[in-house]
């Protein structure tokens, strides 16, 4: 199929533990995907969508070091390939298997990389990956807010989780590239901004606005600023660990995915506490900040809004987010994709999965009975209207995708070989090093 713009949706597959590890919150189960997965894939096709954020449930697939149960993944991924839907494979979405414990485990990065390599070997036709979803949010909610998994609070536990999560992502990218040299990694990461409520809140807001970049700074090997360096060192990161991130140069294989919701902007008080600010700057302004920092192609990887009492609130939000995407793109930022997340309604996200209430959140393109919502119809029309226009606007703002059914074509094999040869060329290492574009 060749280069194109990535219109996507996703199957919500969060699976953290709560209640001190006693309860697993499995969104695939709560949303009925294990039962209706075939219908879900049909719905993706009915919308005209070719890209799906999707991954096997890690807690039932990764059984131990070198031990995997691929039965569900084999069935579902074979069907995705048959339908020629390209998965953006989400290998770790807020949880780990019980036997691994949580994100304080120093063995997690290496073991996860082995899992990622095993997946890539089993499904060599897969090109697109999000190894670890929302690294910053995962560390925040698990190890600073005390909501999930280890349920710890404090800066030291946050830094510990963050360094292991990002290291796992980096090692997984390296492992996948050994199997699939032309793999593309889309870092689905929450794009945040912290607004000072008053002059006394300026300093804590500045610190928070520096912290929001930590996961991507480390992932892309970008030097953090002096305040953040001291913060990392003071809370358990070693110089050796920090230099591990600086020494890994995988940025050239990446697309920066920005997730944006109404809850991503915050009002900071003088005491450092914060509350949701709602949409103040919006996706356009905040994504431009992230792009100015990392200079990578961008994909809008998550957004949604509840279908409210008028029935058109989510439709209006879709229009607003798409208008922001076009504005960013027209300003010269290389935006290559857009995602409404997720395909169906979700469950218990109104409490950020902290409570097991069974509350249905009307956020999806379809409800849990698989009936289309107004935003689903609007997204289908948006894709129809723009799918042929965007490639014509600029051939430079498209991704060199190998669709599942094309993976063994001669041109696709040649692309893999060319990328592998280019990656092995050490003469370009200096030009591609983080120091070449770090500030």
């Amino acid at each position: 199929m060749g280069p194109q713009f990535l219109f996507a949706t996703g199957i919500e597959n969060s699976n953290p533990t709560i209640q001190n590890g006693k309860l697993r919150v499995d969104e695939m189960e709560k949303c009925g995907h294990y039962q209706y997965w075939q219908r879900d894939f049909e719905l993706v096709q009915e919308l005209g969508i070719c890209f799906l954020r999707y991954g096997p449930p890690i807690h039932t697939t990764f059984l131990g070091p070198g031990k995997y149960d691929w039965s569900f993944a084999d069935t579902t991924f074979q069907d995705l390939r048959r339908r020629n839907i390209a998965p953006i494979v989400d290998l770790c979405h807020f949880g780990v298997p019980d036997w691994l414990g949580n994100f304080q485990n120093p063995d997690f990065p290496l073991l996860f990389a082995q899992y990622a390599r095993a997946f890539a070997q089993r499904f060599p036709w897969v090109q697109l990956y999000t190894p670890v979803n929302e690294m910053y949010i995962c560390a925040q909610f698990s190890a600073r807010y005390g909501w999930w998994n280890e349920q710890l609070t404090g800066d030291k536990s946050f830094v510990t989780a963050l360094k292991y999560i990002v290291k796992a992502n980096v090692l997984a990218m390296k492992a996948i590239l050994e199997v699939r040299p032309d793999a593309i990694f889309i870092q689905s990461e929450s794009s945040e901004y912290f607004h000072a409520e008053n002059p006394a809140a300026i300093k804590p807001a500045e610190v928070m606005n520096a912290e929001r970049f930590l996961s991507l700074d480390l992932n892309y090997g970008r030097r953090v600023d002096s305040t953040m360096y001291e913060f990392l060192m003071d809370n358990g990161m070693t110089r050796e660990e920090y230099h591990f991130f600086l020494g890994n140069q995988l940025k050239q294989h990446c697309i920066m995915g920005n997730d944006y919701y109404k809850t991503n902007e915050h009002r900071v008080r003088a005491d450092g506490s914060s509350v949701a600010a709602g949409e103040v700057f919006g996706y356009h302004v905040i994504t431009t900040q992230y792009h100015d920092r990392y200079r990578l192609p961008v994909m809008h990887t998550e957004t949604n809004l509840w279908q409210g009492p008028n029935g058109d609130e989510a439709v209006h939000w879709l229009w607003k987010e798409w208008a922001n995407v076009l504005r960013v793109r027209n300003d010269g930022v290389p935006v290559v994709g857009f995602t409404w997340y997720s395909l169906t309604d979700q469950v218990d996200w109104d409490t950020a999965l902290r409570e097991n209430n069974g509350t249905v959140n009307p956020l999806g393109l379809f409800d849990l009975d698989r009936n289309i919502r107004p935003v689903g119809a609007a997204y289908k029309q948006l894709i129809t209207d723009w799918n042929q226009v965007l490639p014509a606007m600029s051939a430079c703002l498209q991704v060199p995708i190998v669709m599942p059914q094309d993976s063994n074509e001669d041109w696709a094999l040649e692309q893999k070989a060319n990328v592998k040869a280019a990656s092995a060329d050490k003469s370009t290492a200096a030009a591609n090093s983080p120091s070449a574009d770090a500030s």
Side-chain angles (χ1 to χ4, degrees):
M1 184 176 289
Q4 56 188 292
F5 189 87
L6 281 64
F7 282 109
T9 186
I11 304 294
E12 161 63 325
N13 66 332
S14 299
N15 49 42
T17 59
I18 58 174
Q19 299 179 10
N20 295 314
K22 297 176 182 176
L23 180 65
R24 172 80 60 179
V25 181
D26 185 342
E27 281 288 291
M28 279 187 163
E29 180 179 10
K30 286 192 170 193
C31 299
H33 179 68
Y34 296 136
Q35 182 177 0
Y36 298 113
W37 63 267
Q38 288 176 296
R39 180 58 182 149
D40 287 346
F41 295 165
E42 289 173 1
L43 297 179
V44 173
Q45 289 184 301
E46 288 175 12
L47 292 176
I49 293 174
C50 297
F51 300 93
L52 181 69
R53 292 197 59 208
Y54 187 71
I58 191 173
H59 58 293
T60 57
T61 305
F62 194 9
L63 305 182
K67 298 178 181 178
Y68 314 103
D69 179 355
W70 299 114
S71 55
F72 184 69
D74 283 343
T75 302
T76 53
F77 277 84
Q78 180 182 9
D79 196 58
L80 286 173
R81 189 178 189 185
R82 179 182 65 82
R83 297 174 189 271
N84 208 27
I85 296 172
I88 304 170
V89 178
D90 191 343
L91 291 174
C92 178
H93 202 121
F94 298 146
V96 295
D98 290 340
W99 64 270
L100 256 176
N102 53 55
F103 295 109
Q104 302 295 301
N105 185 349
D107 296 329
F108 168 60
L110 185 58
L111 290 166
F112 179 71
Q114 293 170 359
Y115 172 60
R117 178 184 286 104
F119 178 92
Q121 289 171 335
R122 195 166 188 90
F123 304 99
W125 54 270
V126 172
Q127 182 186 21
L128 305 174
Y129 287 89
T130 300
V132 183
N133 173 74
E134 286 194 348
M135 297 177 282
Y136 171 80
I137 294 298
C138 188
Q140 281 273 67
F141 287 11
S142 298
R144 179 176 261 169
Y145 294 170
W147 291 354
W148 301 336
N149 303 309
E150 52 261 52
Q151 292 186 245
L152 296 176
T153 57
D155 290 342
K156 187 166 186 177
S157 56
F158 167 72
V159 170
T160 299
L162 186 70
K163 69 183 181 182
Y164 292 151
I165 288 169
V166 181
K167 184 176 182 180
N169 194 74
V170 171
L171 291 179
M173 289 193 292
K174 294 180 72 172
I176 291 167
L177 286 168
E178 292 172 3
V179 179
R180 180 75 193 247
D182 67 333
I184 297 172
F185 303 102
I186 303 173
Q187 271 77 49
S188 180
E189 187 59 278
S190 182
S191 53
E192 307 276 325
Y193 192 84
F194 297 86
H195 303 271
E197 191 172 73
N198 53 56
I202 291 175
K203 182 60 178 177
E206 286 179 345
V207 172
M208 293 176 184
N209 278 322
E211 284 184 1
R212 66 183 168 141
F213 292 124
L214 278 176
S215 61
L216 293 180
D217 281 354
L218 296 174
N219 187 70
Y220 296 139
R222 186 188 191 279
R223 291 183 177 85
V224 301
D225 66 29
S226 58
T227 301
M228 287 300 98
Y229 181 78
E230 291 179 356
F231 170 74
L232 293 173
M233 295 300 113
D234 289 345
N235 288 286
M237 182 176 284
T238 66
R239 287 170 60 92
E240 182 182 15
E241 288 172 326
Y242 178 65
H243 283 277
F244 164 83
F245 297 110
L246 293 185
N248 282 281
Q249 302 164 16
L250 301 176
K251 182 177 174 181
Q252 67 271 27
H253 298 281
C254 296
I255 293 171
M256 182 183 64
N258 287 90
D259 302 350
Y260 182 79
Y261 298 94
K262 274 190 173 181
T263 54
N264 285 37
E265 298 186 56
H266 316 266
R267 291 174 59 180
V268 180
R269 304 187 183 101
D271 64 0
S273 61
S274 65
V275 294
E279 185 188 24
V280 181
F281 286 171
Y283 181 81
H284 172 215
V285 171
I286 296 176
T287 293
T288 299
Q289 293 175 350
Y290 278 75
H291 176 258
D292 287 348
R293 190 176 186 90
Y294 301 112
R295 297 291 174 179
L296 282 170
V298 172
M299 180 174 178
H300 194 327
T301 36
E302 284 187 24
T303 196
N304 63 43
L305 191 71
W306 284 44
Q307 180 176 304
N310 295 329
D312 63 354
E313 290 87 342
V315 173
H316 182 66
W317 181 257
L318 170 66
W319 175 84
K320 184 184 289 188
E321 287 302 287
W322 181 244
N324 272 261
V325 166
L326 292 179
R327 182 68 264 164
V328 172
R329 185 179 171 98
N330 291 340
D331 284 350
V333 175
V335 181
V336 299
F338 177 80
T339 314
W340 183 275
Y341 197 85
S342 52
L343 178 72
T344 67
D345 290 348
Q346 301 171 13
V347 180
D348 289 331
W349 263 109
D350 53 306
T351 60
L353 306 184
R354 289 174 289 171
E355 299 177 12
N356 187 36
N357 300 323
T359 302
V360 176
N361 310 139
L363 301 165
L365 300 169
F366 295 84
D367 64 27
L368 293 184
D369 291 324
R370 275 54 184 178
N371 298 312
I372 195 166
R373 290 194 175 277
V375 70
Y379 192 33
K380 181 177 182 179
Q381 187 62 50
L382 187 153
I383 294 169
T384 299
D385 291 343
W386 288 93
N387 206 26
Q388 296 303 316
V389 176
L390 286 170
M393 288 173 65
S394 176
C396 299
L397 298 185
Q398 300 167 54
V399 183
I401 298 296
V402 179
M403 295 301 289
Q405 292 180 4
D406 296 332
S407 59
N408 290 321
E409 294 291 328
D410 289 343
W411 67 268
L413 296 173
E414 183 178 357
Q415 175 174 295
K416 295 178 193 177
N418 290 341
V419 173
K420 185 175 182 179
S423 299
D425 185 358
K426 303 303 181 184
S427 67
T428 62
N432 289 322
S433 70
S435 61
D437 57 4
S439 60

